[in-house]
Amino acid sequence: MSQSFEDALSEAAAPVAGEPPYLAGLNPEQREAVLASDGPVLVLAGAGTGKTRVLTTRLAHLLYSRRAYPGQILAVTFTNKAAREMKERIGLLIGGVVEGMQWLGTFHSIGARMLRRHAELAGLKSNFTILDADDQLRLIKQVVAAADLDEKRHPPRQLAALIDRWKNRGWLPADVPNGETYGYAAGKGAILYAAYQQRLAELNAADFGDLLLSTIKVLRENPDVLEEYRRRFVYILVDEYQDTNVAQHQWLKLLAAPRHNICCVGDDDQSIYGWRGAEVDNILSFERDYPGAKVIRLEQNYRSTPEILSAASGLIKENRSRHGKTLHTKAASGSPVAVLSVWDAEEEARQIADELEAMQKRGERLASAAILVRASHQMREFEERFVAVGLPYRVIGGPRFYERQEIRDALAYLRVVAQGDDDLAFERIVNKPKRGIGDKAMQDVQVAARRMGVSLSVAARRLSESDEMTGKARTSLRQLMDGFDRWRAAMTSLPHPDLATLVLEESGYVEMWQADKSVEAEGRLENLKELIRSMDGFENLTGFLEHVSLVMEAEQNETGDKVSIMTLHGAKGLEFDTVFLPGWEEGLFPSQRSMDENGLAGLEEERRLAYVGLTRGKKRVQISHAANRRTHGLWQSALPSRFISELPPGAVELKEGVGGGFGGRAAFAENRWSQSDFSSAYDSPGWRRAQAQVQPGGLRPRPPVIEAQATLVAHSDPEGAGFARGDLVRHAKFGQGRVVHADGNKLTVKFDAAGEKKVIAAFLSRG
Ligand code: ATP
Ligand code: MG
C-alpha cells in the first residue's frame, strides 16, 4: 500500500496551529535540533536521549516542510535494519509510506549505489561483484603467493587486516606512508596492496573498503560528478557518527560542501568500532570541520530506569578519555541491575531460559528481551538450550545465514550466472557437487585463463571444446558451461527465484545434499529453500546479490514472538525491556585480545561496549558470569569481569545461581584483580569470522597456484592466436603436429603421434 511522496503529504494531518504534529512530545533541545534545518548541527548526547528520534523527526520535518524531496536527502544509518526502521517511522510521522528515499542506508549500501552509477570512472563495469571477507582473503592469498612470499612467515590474513586499515584511513596504494608499509613482508605492503587492487579490477570486483574509497576517488577526480551530488544532496543526516572512520568522514565532507547542511548525531561514550578503524575524533572535531556548527546536548534519558542509568554512568566514569556527560531520567524507579554468578555456561543458559519462561508466564513478550553476548561463540549454548526447551529465539547480527556453506555455494552459482567473470565464485562451485573436475583440470583452466588473459569461465569453455582436456573432466566442464549458458539465457524470462531453483537443481547441487546422509544435510536443504524464499522481495537477481553482499545482518523471519540473541556490537542503537548480559568474565569481557593489542585504549573500548550493553535495557538488566568456561575445547576457571566490580553498589543486586557459582559476593568484593592469564578466552567479531573460515567444510582448499608470477605480469598476446593452417606447432602433451584448421584461438592440429586434436592456441608453441 505504498503511495507517492506527494500523496503522502497531502494526506498527512494538517498542521495544527502552525505546528506540525510530529513536534509534539519533543523536549526543547530535541525540538531545536529538529528545527535547525540549515547549517551544520551536531547532537552529542548519551545513550537513550533521543538522538535517533531527533534524526528521524528531522528527516520527516525536511520532507513535511518541503525543504527537500526524498531523493535530495542523504541519510546514513548504522545498519540496514536501522534504515528500514527509519523509513517506517518517517512514514508514521508524516502519514503514509514515503517512497523514493533512495539515499537512505548504510555507508556501504549508499557507496555501492554511487559506485555502480560511475563504475567505469573507477575502472569497473557496473555489474561489479562485491567481495566479502572470505573472498577477499582468498584473493589476498593469491597475491601473496604470486609474490613468492611464504604464507607462514607472512600470513595473508595480516595483509588483509592492513589493507582494510589503510582503506579505512582513506589511503590508496600510493598514499600509504612508508612506515606503514613495513607492517608486512619487509616493506612490500603497499606493492601488494597495489597488486591486490589490480586483481580486483581484473575480476571486476570491489571489496567493502572500495565502496567508499573508490567513490571518493571518483568524486575527487571528476568535478562534474562531485558537483552533481553536491547539488543533489540538499541535506545530509548521519546516525552513530562516533563510529565513522576516516574514509567515511572524508566522503561526508566532500559531499556536504559547500552548503554544510549536515546533521550528525552520536555519543563518544558509545564508540565501539575502533578495531574497525573508527575514529572517535571525527565527532569531537565536528566544529572544526564545519565552522559555525550548532552543537546540541541532550541530557534526559527516556529509555531506562534510574537504576540502569546509574549502573551505566558509574561504569563509564572509569574511562579516563571521555568528555563527561550527565544523564538524568524522570522514569520511575525499577529493580536494581542483577548480577548472577553461575557454575558454567550451561547453567547460565539454563537460568536465562528459565527466566524467559517465567516472563512468558507473566504474559510478557519474548520479543521484549534480548541476550547480548561479547563473542558470538557464546551464542551456541543459548541456542542449544532454547531448542531443547522449545523457546523461540532469533539470532540477529553477523553474516550467519549467508555465511553457511550451502548458502555460499548457492550464491556462488548465482554470481557466475549474473557475472560470468566472477572467478572466485566459479572456483568455488566448479567441482561442487563432485563432477570429476579435479585440481589437475582446474590448474589447466587457470593456466589457460592466464595465458589467454580471460576469465576462468571463458577459459573453461574453450578448454572443454578442445582436446586439451579429456575424459570426465571435459564432459563435465562442457555440461557445466552449457548449463551456465542456459541459465544466463533464462535470466530474462524466468522470475529470479525460479531461476535459482532451476540452477540449484540442474547443477546437481540440491541432489548432492539429498544424497547426503549426514545430520546437517536436512538443515542445509531447508536453508536453501529459505534462501530462495528470501529472493522474492527483490526486483532481479543482481539486486538480490547486491543486497546479500551488503547485508551483514541475518535476514530471518522477523515475525513471531522470539527472544533475540545478538552481539553487543550488533545491539547498538536498539532497546529492549529486558536485557541479559552473560559472560562478564575477565578475558572474555573485557576481551583479553583487545587489551593485549591495544592496552588501555582497548580496555576503554571494551568498557564503552559494556556501557552500550547496559543502556540497551529499559526496565531490567541482568549481568551474569560463570566460574568455569570452556574455550577452544579446554575448561578454564574464570574470574568475574572487572566491570562488575566497577558498578556502583547501590544500583546492583547480587544473585547466586542454583549451581552455586563461587560466591558472587566474594568476587564482587575482591576488587580489581590483575590481568588473568587465559589468553585464549578472547574473541572479537573479526577474529570470529576468521575462525569460521578455518572450520571444516568452511573453505575448500585452493588448488596450488602454479606459475604464480604470471598473475602479476601483463599478457602480451592475450588470445595467443596467430597460428595459421600449415604451421608447424608443438604441444606439451601431444607433441609435434601441423595446423589443419584455425579459427581464432581454436585450432585443429594433426599431431604426429596423437592424431588429429582440437586444441587452443595458448597451449601451443611454434615447433
Ligand atoms: P542510543 O544512543 O542508544 O542510540 P538514542 O539517543 O538514539 O539512543 P533513541 O533511540 O532515539 O535514543 O530514544 C530512546 C528512547 O526514548 C526511544 O524509545 C524513544 O522513542 C524515546 N524518546 C526519545 N525522546 C523522547 C521524548 N521526547 N519523549 C518520549 N520518549 C522519547
Ligand atoms: Mg540511536
Side-chain angles (χ1 to χ4, degrees), residues 25-26 30 46-53 270 302-303 573 575 616:
L26 295 184
Q30 291 178 328
T49 52
K51 296 182 297 299
T52 303
R53 178 158 167 162
Q270 293 184 68
Y302 290 92
R303 181 180 291 145
E575 56 188 21
R616 297 311 94 198

Side-chain angles (χ1 to χ4, degrees), residues 4-51:
S4 75
F5 170 63
E6 294 296 326
D7 290 347
L9 275 190
S10 58
E11 283 175 25
V16 188
E19 178 159 294
Y22 47 79
L23 291 179
L26 295 184
N27 67 35
E29 295 78 24
Q30 291 178 328
R31 179 186 286 252
E32 185 187 358
V34 167
L35 294 177
S37 356
D38 288 12
V41 177
L42 174 69
V43 179
L44 184 58
T49 52
K51 296 182 297 299

